[in-house]
Amino acid sequence: MGNCVSLSIPLDQSVNKVSQWLEKIGGYTHNIEKNLTVLETTMVDLKAKQDDLSRKLKREEDGGLRRLAKFEVWLNRVEAIENRVNDLLSAINVELQRLCLCRFFSKSLLSSYRYGKRVILTLREVEKLGSENFDVVADQALTPEVEERQLQPIIVGQETMLEKAWKHLMEDGVGIMGMYGMGGVGKTTLLTQINNKFRKDRCGFDFVIWIVVSKALQLEKILDEIAQKVRLRGKKDGSQKAVHLFNFLREKRFVLFLDDIWEKVDLAEIGVPFQQDKTNAKWYSPLVLKMYVHA
């Protein structure tokens, strides 16, 4: 009359699967409080490690180094996992109230299972992050390229002036060289030519910096621009900004172009190292285009 298909599954196999499933769920639910305690302690250790490495990073960034991309990723992951841990800890009272029968079962079994599983998986991630070692958190930053500036039409005879200025600039003991004169005589063009010449040959300088001072002198703005162009990080306030920049630049070889100066600029106030001696000379004049060189 018809076909009949019979399937037979051994009873002991079915019992084993159910037993394993219940054991797995029971492991997640019964040990929730214990696992949360371990998670909280492990997270505290991870935060302490993060704080220690962050202080180390700050010291190295203050010294002009650049943080490693790998370490930046680690910091972001620690911050993200901390938020997840806090979410789990904030829900602990609700989850514990659901448990019953010596915490082997739950009034909401699926919810407790998912919560307990999240605790275990999060704990493993925290442990993994804590096991990562960073002997080095920053390295030497790449030297910024010299910014090429657009040239105005060359004035007749300026090639000779450029050669003379460049030769003088490369002489030992030259600390400051100033250019001044009436408008339109080619001061900016000459200064730009010298700047662009450094693009082809840095002559061993770490930084070549161009700053427009302008008539409305703002020392803090100048200081901030210099720090930005040498990629100096670290938050400082007031006079500490100048000290911070000074301590960084005194270990470097740099050329600083100060354009459009109308009044005296105190180098100490903008964090520029300069030791005046008999081989150095200063010019302060209205409409001056001044270049400072630190060798």
Side-chain angles (χ1 to χ4, degrees):
M1 296 292 294
N3 295 324
C4 180
V5 178
S6 175
L7 295 176
S8 176
I9 300 177
L11 181 61
D12 57 344
Q13 184 178 348
S14 300
V15 171
N16 284 338
K17 288 185 177 180
V18 173
S19 176
Q20 290 173 3
W21 182 73
L22 290 174
E23 183 179 353
K24 186 176 182 180
I25 292 180
Y28 284 141
T29 58
H30 179 66
N31 296 317
I32 280 180
E33 189 170 16
K34 176 183 176 181
N35 291 337
L36 273 172
T37 300
V38 176
L39 175 61
E40 187 173 15
T41 302
T42 309
M43 189 66 222
V44 169
D45 293 339
L46 179 61
K47 282 294 296 178
K49 182 174 184 176
Q50 180 196 35
D51 291 342
D52 290 341
L53 290 174
S54 294
R55 283 192 292 270
K56 179 180 179 181
L57 176 66
K58 184 179 184 304
R59 289 194 301 270
E60 298 197 356
E61 285 186 333
D62 286 350
L65 298 184
R66 177 187 58 183
R67 69 178 62 187
L68 295 176
K70 183 178 180 180
F71 183 62
E72 177 73 15
V73 170
W74 184 84
L75 288 175
N76 292 335
R77 288 171 60 195
V78 170
E79 184 176 350
I81 202 73
E82 182 183 13
N83 293 332
R84 287 166 54 189
V85 170
N86 289 336
D87 289 342
L88 289 170
L89 292 174
S90 65
I92 180 59
N93 291 331
V94 174
E95 294 298 332
L96 290 179
Q97 289 174 5
R98 288 175 176 163
L99 301 180
C100 57
L101 297 178
C102 297
R103 296 182 177 173
F104 279 103
F105 292 95
S106 170
K107 300 171 185 176
S108 178
L109 189 59
L110 183 58
S111 176
S112 295
Y113 165 74
R114 288 174 175 171
Y115 179 80
K117 185 176 181 179
R118 284 173 56 204
V119 171
I120 291 294
L121 294 178
T122 303
L123 174 59
R124 290 174 183 169
E125 286 189 54
V126 173
E127 289 174 338
K128 183 179 179 181
L129 286 170
S131 67
E132 294 188 42
N133 294 318
F134 290 94
D135 295 328
V136 178
V137 296
D139 61 6
Q140 186 65 45
L142 295 176
T143 304
E145 292 291 330
V146 178
E147 179 184 356
E148 185 172 9
R149 304 187 67 84
Q150 186 175 358
L151 272 172
Q152 299 295 325
I154 305 298
I155 298 175
V156 176
Q158 200 156 44
E159 292 84 355
T160 303
M161 183 65 71
L162 172 61
E163 183 180 349
K164 182 179 179 180
W166 182 264
K167 182 179 179 180
H168 177 64
L169 190 59
M170 294 298 109
E171 291 176 355
D172 293 336
V174 175
I176 290 182
M177 185 172 72
M179 285 172 277
Y180 59 95
M182 297 176 61
V185 298
K187 301 183 300 299
T188 299
T189 300
L190 180 57
L191 202 65
T192 302
Q193 285 179 304
I194 296 173
N195 175 85
N196 292 351
K197 196 173 177 66
F198 276 113
R199 185 173 176 84
K200 298 177 182 178
D201 183 2
R202 300 178 73 104
C203 300
F205 289 100
D206 299 307
F207 302 103
V208 178
I209 311 157
W210 183 292
I211 301 293
V212 178
V213 177
S214 75
K215 190 171 184 178
L217 181 62
Q218 300 180 55
L219 294 178
E220 187 170 358
K221 179 175 178 290
I222 296 172
L223 195 159
D224 290 340
E225 286 186 15
I226 296 174
Q228 181 182 6
K229 291 191 175 184
V230 299
R231 299 177 180 175
L232 181 61
R233 304 180 66 169
K235 295 181 179 179
K236 301 291 180 181
D237 297 322
S239 61
Q240 287 302 310
K241 283 186 179 181
V243 173
H244 186 41
L245 181 59
F246 174 88
N247 288 329
F248 174 75
L249 287 179
R250 69 177 180 176
E251 303 296 332
K252 307 295 181 182
R253 299 189 71 240
F254 64 91
V255 181
L256 175 61
F257 295 88
L258 294 177
D259 188 12
D260 195 21
I261 294 179
W262 290 70
E263 59 183 284
K264 177 179 177 179
V265 177
D266 190 329
L267 297 178
E269 291 191 35
I270 59 173
V272 175
F274 177 72
Q275 184 175 357
Q276 188 175 13
D277 55 39
K278 295 180 180 179
T279 64
N280 294 323
K282 286 187 180 180
W283 287 268
Y284 294 111
S285 176
L287 301 175
V288 72
L289 293 163
K290 187 181 72 175
M291 178 175 59
Y292 172 74
V293 182
H294 174 73

